[in-house]
Amino acid sequence: MLASASPRRKLLLEQVGIAPDAIRPARIDESPTAGETPRNYCRRIARAKALSVRAADDEIILAADTIVVAGRRIIGKPIDQEQAKYFLQLLSGRRHVVMTAVAVRRRNRIRDRLVSSKVKMKRLRDDEIADYLASEEWRGKAGAYAIQGKAGAFVPWINGSITAVVGLPLTETAALLRSEGYEFGSR
């Protein structure tokens, strides 16, 4: 079962032959706690999502959380266009880190992995930001951009996992699922 409403995560799973039996988006408070590091925050949110959905004993729950980190600051999903513009201006011309934590739960056991990738965003012109905001692609995206979409033209390089930057590190996800007895793919 996938504890996420993200169409990107579902597509990434399908890409490697994993079809969730059900999709039950987690509904949790995603507010950071005082003094919480980005790594701890990302892992905590992924685990909380996995724990928040009801499941039968034989079900495996998969949850994930993706954040953008600029310096020590967590850049989540923008609440409106003005905040999206601010995030894009903040990331423009800078390197930042994209963290994705994936958590897998079966019965009372939960395992997780965190993948960090470094991303360089080119210096964005005002018209590029305006056009991107008009596209609405920023909605629901950590850091206000989607590397798999139009914003791919803003990123000259990454050091890490492209699937983690999109929202689900496939290598780590597959390993976690297999550790819980979920078999998929061809042999």
Side-chain angles (χ1 to χ4, degrees), residues 21-164:
D21 295 333
I23 296 176
R24 296 186 201 140
R27 307 259 185 255
I28 63 165
D29 177 6
E30 296 188 31
S31 303
T33 60
E36 188 171 33
T37 66
R39 294 177 67 81
N40 290 342
Y41 168 80
C42 195
R43 289 184 68 212
R44 177 178 64 83
I45 296 300
R47 292 173 69 89
K49 288 177 180 180
L51 291 167
S52 73
V53 297
R54 291 185 193 201
D57 282 346
D58 63 336
E59 285 185 294
I60 298 171
I61 294 88
L62 171 67
D65 190 60
T66 301
I67 61 171
V68 171
V69 181
R72 296 175 141 195
R73 183 175 179 187
I74 297 169
I75 311 291
K77 298 172 189 164
I79 57 172
D80 58 24
Q81 186 170 323
E82 201 55 40
Q83 190 175 47
K85 180 180 180 181
Y86 173 74
F87 287 171
L88 291 169
Q89 289 170 334
L90 180 69
L91 298 173
S92 175
R94 294 182 63 178
R95 293 179 184 168
H96 58 277
V97 175
V98 177
M99 293 182 186
T100 298
V102 60
V104 171
R105 182 185 117 213
R106 184 173 216 171
R107 295 182 192 88
N108 294 328
R109 183 165 77 177
I110 187 165
R111 295 175 183 210
D112 68 82
R113 296 287 183 276
L114 179 97
V115 176
S116 294
S117 301
K118 294 177 183 173
V119 179
K120 167 78 168 144
M121 188 172 283
K122 75 179 194 100
R123 186 165 310 281
L124 300 174
R125 298 184 321 264
D126 290 341
D127 65 312
E128 289 175 309
I129 292 173
D131 288 347
Y132 191 71
L133 293 172
S135 79
E136 300 283 314
E137 190 178 80
W138 56 269
R139 291 191 184 276
K141 310 292 190 305
Y145 75 93
I147 196 169
Q148 73 278 12
K150 295 175 185 352
F154 300 161
V155 178
W157 66 261
I158 71 163
N159 182 357
S161 167
I162 185 67
T163 61

Side-chain angles (χ1 to χ4, degrees), residues 159-186:
N159 182 357
S161 167
I162 185 67
T163 61
V165 174
V166 173
L168 192 66
L170 289 178
T171 301
E172 293 76 7
T173 299
L176 284 170
L177 288 170
R178 283 197 171 106
S179 76
E180 291 303 324
Y182 185 86
E183 290 300 324
F184 60 93
S186 59

